[in-house]
Every structure is written in C-alpha cells, then in structure tokens.
C-alpha cells in the first residue's frame, strides 16, 4: 500500500472493523484487533525498557486546572485545550437548562468551569507531584495516558483523544540529554524493527498564532524537539509516531523540582503515539494481521 489517501485509509479502517465512527471528527471507537495490536506494541516497549528502572504511574484523563495555568498552556495552545464545565445552578436554572437544550437553543453559557481540564500532554500530571529534591540519579517515570487535543479532522491519524506511552526523565542536563539521545536511537530502531519506514527529524510544537510561528522556529533552532515519523496518510508529510522533547528547566522551575546538588532540574520526555503506530502498521503491512510479515508478528506476538 504505497498510495496515500486519508479518506480511503479512514474508510478502510472502518470497513475492517478496526475503528468505529461516532459522528465527531477525530473521535472513534477501537475494535478488538486494533486494541490487540496497540497493547502488543505497548508490551514491546515495556520489554525493551525493562532494565531501565522506570517507576510506573497512571493518572486519569483529567488534570488539575492549575497545571494548565502554571505551565502557561493557554499562551501557546489555546486552540487545542479542552476544559471541563459543569452546572452549578439551582432548580429554576436547571429547568431553564433543560428547556433550552430540548428546544435547540444555546445552553453552554449556563455552565461554569470545574477544577479540572482534559489532559493535553501525557507528562503534565507528573511534574507537580515531584516538587522538591530529586535523588542523586534523578528520576525516570513511565505512564500510559489518554490525551486530548481539540483538532477535529477527517484524517484518521489526527485525533482529538488518543493514548500516549510516555517516559519522563528528570535530573541534571547531562543525565537528561544523554537519556533522550539513547531513546531517540532506540525508538527509531524499534519502529524500523517492525518493518516501518521510520526516520527521525527535528520538529516543533503547533504553537498558536503569529508569535507561535517564531516560537516554533526558535524551538527548531535549539533542536529541543525530535520526532520519529512514518508515512501513513502522505509521503510528503509523514506522521509523527514518537516525539522527544527536551524542556530544559521549564518544568523544574515551574514546579520547584531540584537536583540532589540543589540546581533547578532539567527534564525531557518521549511519547509513543499508540494509535498512530497501530495505524502505521496497518498502512504498511495491510489490514489483515495474520498476513503481516513473520518477523513483525514475532516481535508483537512473541
Ligand atoms: Zn511529555
């Protein structure tokens, strides 16, 4: 399958029962085979990193709203956020709310923000929990999180809600950069070992607006973000399946995380976009997992 047609790829995923449309772009159900491949890939990542000594944590898909405020998320990505609103009114207002909804009138102005927002980045929930002084070796944590980005799109690899297998390294600049470089090679090798035509490139985040364009240029110049990309819906614009981010002191200073010798900690993270990797596998090897190449099957179903 070397022809690239986002709509056709979407329709093929649906007709093979791999994804189930729900009527909103970028949101869909996942069939059993899709989930099996996703879990197998995640298991492969776990096996690969078994001896790294990472702590495993899981946070829910909603985070404390203060995290978004503290990291200045809205300065850079207001277009991607998803806040959670609820109803705080009394009986008469509740009746008006029902009335408005049942008669097709606008009703969202009757809700107010809660203390939580949807989580826009797999590693965000971690940082406020590790304020203070790190052990001498720093910290390594792995998580598997649902992430929300408000990016409705008809093409299947651009989702509003998806899972990321994340690793976060916090420590001195040397510890963090050495770890990032090790994983950049390891992640690339991992995807290539599954027969995927993966390559790595310097990347930037989708910052909002005109200031955002300049931030993206600066991010690229400083080589703070790398992605491992695989062609899934386009040959010219391959899909980012794994992203590596060096945050320098950003989270260390925001959440007062210090190294053992009292310096502000540096951090880096990497995330495998699990649904995207599954889709890259289907695009590359076809929709029938039984006919995938033997060496790929051996890696995923050992
Ligand atoms: Zn991250």
């Amino acid at each position: 399958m070397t022809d690239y047609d986002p709509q056709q790829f979407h329709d093929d995923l649906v007709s093979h029962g791999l994804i189930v449309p729900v009527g909103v772009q970028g949101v869909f159900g996942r069939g059993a085979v899709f989930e099996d491949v996703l879990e197998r890939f995640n298991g492969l990542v776990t096996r690969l990193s078994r001896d790294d000594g990472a702590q495993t944590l899981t946070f829910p898909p909603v985070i404390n709203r203060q995290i978004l405020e503290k990291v200045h998320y809205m300065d850079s990505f207001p277009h991607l956020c998803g806040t959670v609103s609820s109803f705080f009114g009394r009986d008469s207002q509740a009746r008006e709310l029902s009335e408005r909804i049942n008669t097709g009138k606008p009703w969202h102005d009757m809700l107010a923000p809660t203390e939580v927002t949807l989580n826009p980045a797999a590693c965000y929930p971690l940082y406020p929990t590790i304020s203070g002084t790190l052990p001498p070796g720093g910290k390594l944590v792995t998580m598997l999180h649902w992430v929300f980005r408000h990016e409705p799109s008809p093409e299947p690899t651009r989702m509003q809600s998806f899972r990321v297998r994340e690793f976060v390294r916090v420590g001195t600049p040397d510890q963090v950069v050495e770890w990032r470089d090790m994983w950049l090679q390891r992640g690339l090798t991992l995807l290539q070992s599954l027969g995927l035509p993966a390559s790595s490139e310097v990347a930037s985040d989708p910052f909002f607006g005109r200031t955002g364009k300049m931030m993206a240029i600066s991010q690229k110049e400083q080589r703070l973000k790398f992605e491992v990309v695989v062609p899934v819906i386009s040959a010219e614009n391959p899909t980012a399946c794994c992203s590596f981010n060096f945050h320098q002191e950003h989270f260390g200073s925001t959440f007062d995380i210090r190294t053992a010798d009292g310096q502000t900690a540096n951090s880096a993270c990497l995330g495998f976009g699990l649904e995207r990797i599954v889709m890259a596998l289907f695009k590359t090897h076809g929709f029938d997992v039984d006919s995938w190449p033997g060496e790929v099957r051996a890696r995923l179903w050992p």
Side-chain angles (χ1 to χ4, degrees):
M1 286 195 291
T2 48
D3 53 320
Y4 297 100
D5 179 343
Q7 189 61 51
Q8 186 61 48
F9 185 55
H10 171 272
D11 295 349
D12 287 342
L13 288 168
V14 173
S15 68
H16 289 86
L18 296 167
I19 65 170
V20 181
V22 299
V24 178
Q25 287 186 343
V27 183
F28 42 78
R30 282 83 166 147
V33 174
F34 189 102
E35 283 298 286
D36 186 38
V37 174
L38 187 145
E39 282 167 21
R40 297 287 173 170
F41 176 79
N42 185 49
L44 181 54
V45 173
T46 300
R47 289 201 300 282
L48 198 63
S49 57
R50 191 171 34 208
D51 298 329
D52 294 3
Q55 177 189 7
T56 303
L57 284 173
T58 302
F59 292 90
V62 291
I63 60 169
N64 189 331
R65 193 179 72 200
Q66 288 181 355
I67 296 178
L68 281 206
E69 296 166 359
K70 284 191 175 157
V71 303
H72 303 288
Y73 187 80
M74 297 309 230
D75 293 1
S76 300
F77 312 106
H79 55 309
L80 301 180
C81 82
T83 62
V84 178
S85 297
S86 193
F87 177 70
F88 294 85
R90 294 172 171 276
D91 264 1
S92 61
Q93 291 159 311
R95 282 196 298 277
E96 188 192 338
L97 178 66
S98 302
E99 157 84 16
R100 284 211 215 167
I101 293 172
N102 295 332
T103 55
K105 293 192 187 113
W107 53 279
H108 277 96
D109 58 321
M110 297 198 69
L111 306 183
T114 65
E115 286 179 80
V116 295
T117 71
L118 300 179
N119 184 18
C123 57
Y124 277 7
L126 175 70
Y127 303 113
T129 71
I130 57 170
S131 295
T133 303
L134 298 168
K139 210 166 176 51
L140 176 63
V141 177
T142 184
M143 299 168 281
L144 197 173
H145 285 159
W146 281 93
V147 168
F148 176 85
R149 306 252 168 97
H150 183 240
E151 293 189 288
S153 165
E155 69 96 339
T157 66
R158 192 154 298 280
M159 289 157 273
Q160 297 205 56
S161 190
F162 52 93
R163 276 160 291 180
V164 175
R165 175 69 190 272
E166 181 94 351
F167 289 82
V168 184
R169 182 81 172 98
V170 192
T172 66
D174 287 351
Q175 286 170 339
V176 164
V177 169
E178 187 193 336
W179 174 84
R180 191 272 315 266
D181 291 344
M182 178 277 288
W183 255 115
L184 189 56
Q185 188 53 52
R186 193 196 243 178
L188 185 62
T189 306
L190 168 61
L191 295 192
Q192 287 170 345
S193 80
L194 294 171
L196 298 176
S199 57
S200 65
E201 55 185 42
V202 179
S204 62
D205 285 311
F207 298 106
F208 181 77
R210 229 183 307 164
T211 334
K213 284 208 176 70
M214 283 148 64
M215 292 171 76
I217 289 166
S218 150
Q219 190 183 28
K220 274 195 167 175
E221 280 172 358
Q222 295 182 74
R223 301 171 73 81
L224 296 177
K225 186 182 186 77
F226 291 86
E227 287 174 343
V228 172
V229 299
V230 180
V232 181
I233 52 134
S234 156
E236 301 77 39
N237 297 303
T239 298
C241 291
C242 186
S243 108
F244 305 78
N245 301 281
F246 179 33
H247 318 118
Q248 299 169 303
E249 292 185 355
H250 178 57
F251 294 114
S253 62
T254 302
F255 295 104
D256 190 26
I257 308 164
R258 290 180 304 278
T259 57
D261 62 357
Q263 304 294 308
T264 299
N266 277 240
S267 64
C269 71
L270 75 93
F272 290 99
L274 295 177
E275 279 86 354
R276 283 184 167 187
I277 288 167
V278 172
M279 288 183 200
L281 287 163
F282 283 116
K283 178 66 190 176
T284 306
H285 301 309
F287 294 106
D288 176 13
V289 291
D290 293 328
S291 60
W292 286 5
E295 59 274 25
V296 176
R297 289 193 55 84
R299 293 278 278 160
L300 291 173
W301 289 270

